[in-house]
Amino acid sequence: MKSAISQATIGRLALYFRLFKSLYENGVQIISSEDLGKKLDITPVQIRKDLAIFGQFGMKGVGYFTAEMVSKIGNILGLNNHWNMAIVGVGHLGGALANYKNFEENGFKLAALFDKDIRIIGSTVHGIQISDIRNLKSVVKNRSIHIGIITVPALAAQDIANMLVDAGVKGIWNFAPTKIDVPAEIPLVNEDLAMDLSILSYHISRDRGEI
Amino acid sequence: MKSAISQATIGRLALYFRLFKSLYENGVQIISSEDLGKKLDITPVQIRKDLAIFGQFGMKGVGYFTAEMVSKIGNILGLNNHWNMAIVGVGHLGGALANYKNFEENGFKLAALFDKDIRIIGSTVHGIQISDIRNLKSVVKNRSIHIGIITVPALAAQDIANMLVDAGVKGIWNFAPTKIDVPAEIPLVNEDLAMDLSILSYHISRDRGEI
């Protein structure tokens, strides 16, 4: 990737974006980095450092203007663009993601589905016909797919990633529980749902008095 | 929740855990907070602050011992326990989660599935028979379910949360795209997959030179 900003920083920006948006929608016009820090449990220094990477935001001694931050962070995160997505592997998880409601609200549009199973090729999920994976390259080009979502078994994931890169996608979201390699210029996000469960297990352990 | 530690901190602990584990498995025995910070793009001060909440870790001027950290953070996060989970709503997403491989490796065991659709009640997913949602309370008790996973439509989510709490689950993981309320003593994690997409859209925007 050309940018030196890490995924951790971008993840925090997405958190800031959601909080600024919620504050704005609730009529809060301005907030200090101290109050942001309390709400998010991130140190104010970390918040100011993260935001300073992208320019001069807020007013010293006053705070950040929520309307301005929603617009500016939205621009930084590319949430004001329109993204076409393709899901490769229409099994349980692929089918679930195809039906996931929150994507379109945030500018992410499902534009193609692929599978290799002739029993489901041609059938329709969420209004999109499932294409034969052998036509991946032409469909990705014709429908201007930006983001490829990998929901195939682990053993097939690397081959699919190679096909998506070859077809010209700009980024990959990998749900297969395995490490895949892509060229440095292709952004890759690996989803690990098991990580989120550790937040629950922590709290349950505490509440049970086990630690 | 009884604990004053936020979900943001716990999320970072899960990140630390994964990195320490990977370092340990790759033969790295010790690492400084500076090097950890570089790998995770989190300030060393934030890392030391997070870990200090739970006690005295590492050796001043030397670093953190990876084996010790895997064990201690694993204990803090409750990953050395065994958790029984139930999925309520065996549609696309529920079915996908039932088949998700990474949970069992981390001590999370699927022990029950519920749905209200008589066409699928009694059928089996991932070796678990789907129970009638009307039997939720007795099944949750008999199988010692700790974690309830909500994968029903948004409009039904609050009712399901109430049923799970009433049945005695210790924590809830909500995938329905809506806000639900649970008693303060029940840990709740809301999953928002659309957030993760913003990491991709950021990098793609940068690479296209749009900002």
Side-chain angles (χ1 to χ4, degrees):
Chain A
M1 284 177 252
K2 287 170 203 161
S3 117
I5 313 301
S6 77
Q7 297 199 357
T9 305
I10 308 308
R12 289 194 298 273
L13 278 185
L15 275 180
Y16 304 152
F17 177 79
R18 189 159 64 169
L19 180 57
F20 279 123
K21 195 174 174 196
S22 157
L23 289 166
Y24 175 73
E25 287 167 357
N26 286 289
V28 178
Q29 297 191 331
I30 194 160
I31 185 168
S32 67
S33 56
E34 283 71 22
D35 287 344
L36 278 174
K38 276 180 207 148
K39 282 180 187 292
L40 295 167
D41 195 46
I42 297 176
T43 61
V45 171
Q46 178 85 64
I47 293 172
R48 290 194 295 267
K49 180 172 174 282
D50 288 338
L51 294 176
I53 299 171
F54 301 96
Q56 182 73 42
F57 292 130
M59 201 181 284
K60 203 161 180 129
V62 179
Y64 297 101
F65 297 99
T66 55
E68 182 192 13
M69 297 311 286
V70 169
S71 161
K72 290 202 172 161
I73 303 181
N75 270 330
I76 291 168
L77 293 178
L79 297 177
N80 305 325
N81 290 318
H82 175 91
W83 304 106
N84 292 327
M85 305 194 300
I87 293 174
V88 186
V90 192
H92 291 285
L93 184 57
L97 290 173
N99 285 289
Y100 194 72
K101 304 272 187 300
N102 276 11
F103 293 147
E104 298 219 2
E105 287 167 23
N106 291 280
F108 300 97
K109 184 177 169 23
L110 182 65
L113 295 167
F114 297 98
D115 208 286
K116 66 169 190 178
D117 185 346
I118 55 165
R119 289 169 300 181
I120 64 169
I121 290 169
S123 64
T124 299
V125 178
H126 199 69
I128 311 283
Q129 203 172 39
I130 300 174
S131 302
D132 189 327
I133 201 165
R134 289 178 296 184
N135 301 325
L136 187 142
K137 190 165 183 172
S138 61
V139 173
V140 163
K141 285 192 186 303
N142 291 339
R143 300 188 194 170
S144 303
I145 302 294
H146 305 101
I147 295 172
I149 303 178
I150 299 179
T151 51
V152 297
L155 281 176
Q158 184 64 57
D159 284 346
I160 299 300
N162 296 347
M163 286 172 73
L164 286 166
V165 170
D166 180 54
V169 300
K170 307 300 178 199
I172 288 179
W173 194 12
N174 176 39
F175 281 80
T178 186
K179 192 180 167 303
I180 58 174
D181 293 314
V182 295
E185 70 271 19
I186 303 291
L188 166 69
V189 171
N190 291 297
E191 190 71 38
D192 185 354
L193 293 171
M195 287 278 292
D196 299 301
L197 267 174
S198 34
I199 295 175
L200 265 185
S201 70
Y202 164 78
H203 286 296
I204 299 173
S205 300
R206 300 279 293 190
D207 291 353
R208 296 205 304 183
E210 289 190 358
I211 59 172
Chain B
M1 283 177 256
K2 286 169 204 161
S3 115
I5 313 299
S6 75
Q7 296 200 358
T9 304
I10 309 306
R12 287 194 298 272
L13 278 186
L15 275 180
Y16 305 152
F17 177 79
R18 187 157 63 169
L19 180 56
F20 279 122
K21 196 174 174 195
S22 156
L23 289 167
Y24 174 72
E25 287 168 356
N26 286 288
V28 178
Q29 298 192 332
I30 195 159
I31 185 168
S32 67
S33 56
E34 283 71 23
D35 287 343
L36 278 174
K38 276 180 205 146
K39 282 181 188 292
L40 295 167
D41 195 45
I42 296 175
T43 61
V45 172
Q46 178 84 64
I47 293 172
R48 289 194 296 266
K49 180 171 175 286
D50 288 338
L51 294 176
I53 299 170
F54 301 96
Q56 181 73 41
F57 293 131
M59 200 180 285
K60 204 160 180 130
V62 179
Y64 297 101
F65 296 99
T66 56
E68 182 192 14
M69 296 312 286
V70 169
S71 161
K72 291 203 171 159
I73 303 180
N75 269 330
I76 292 168
L77 293 177
L79 298 178
N80 306 326
N81 290 317
H82 175 92
W83 305 105
N84 292 328
M85 307 194 298
I87 293 174
V88 187
V90 192
H92 291 285
L93 185 57
L97 290 174
N99 284 289
Y100 195 71
K101 304 270 187 302
N102 277 11
F103 293 147
E104 299 218 3
E105 286 168 26
N106 292 280
F108 300 96
K109 183 177 170 24
L110 182 65
L113 295 166
F114 298 98
D115 208 286
K116 65 169 189 177
D117 185 346
I118 53 165
R119 289 169 300 180
I120 65 169
I121 290 168
S123 63
T124 299
V125 178
H126 198 70
I128 311 282
Q129 202 172 40
I130 300 173
S131 301
D132 189 327
I133 201 163
R134 288 177 297 184
N135 301 326
L136 187 141
K137 191 165 183 172
S138 60
V139 173
V140 162
K141 284 190 186 303
N142 291 340
R143 300 189 194 169
S144 303
I145 302 292
H146 305 102
I147 295 173
I149 304 179
I150 300 179
T151 50
V152 297
L155 281 176
Q158 184 64 58
D159 284 346
I160 298 301
N162 297 347
M163 286 171 72
L164 286 166
V165 170
D166 180 54
V169 301
K170 306 302 178 200
I172 288 179
W173 195 12
N174 175 40
F175 281 81
T178 186
K179 193 181 168 302
I180 59 174
D181 293 315
V182 294
E185 69 272 19
I186 303 290
L188 167 69
V189 171
N190 290 297
E191 190 70 40
D192 184 355
L193 293 172
M195 288 277 293
D196 299 302
L197 267 174
S198 32
I199 294 175
L200 264 185
S201 70
Y202 163 78
H203 285 296
I204 299 174
S205 300
R206 299 279 294 189
D207 290 352
R208 299 206 303 185
E210 288 189 357
I211 59 171

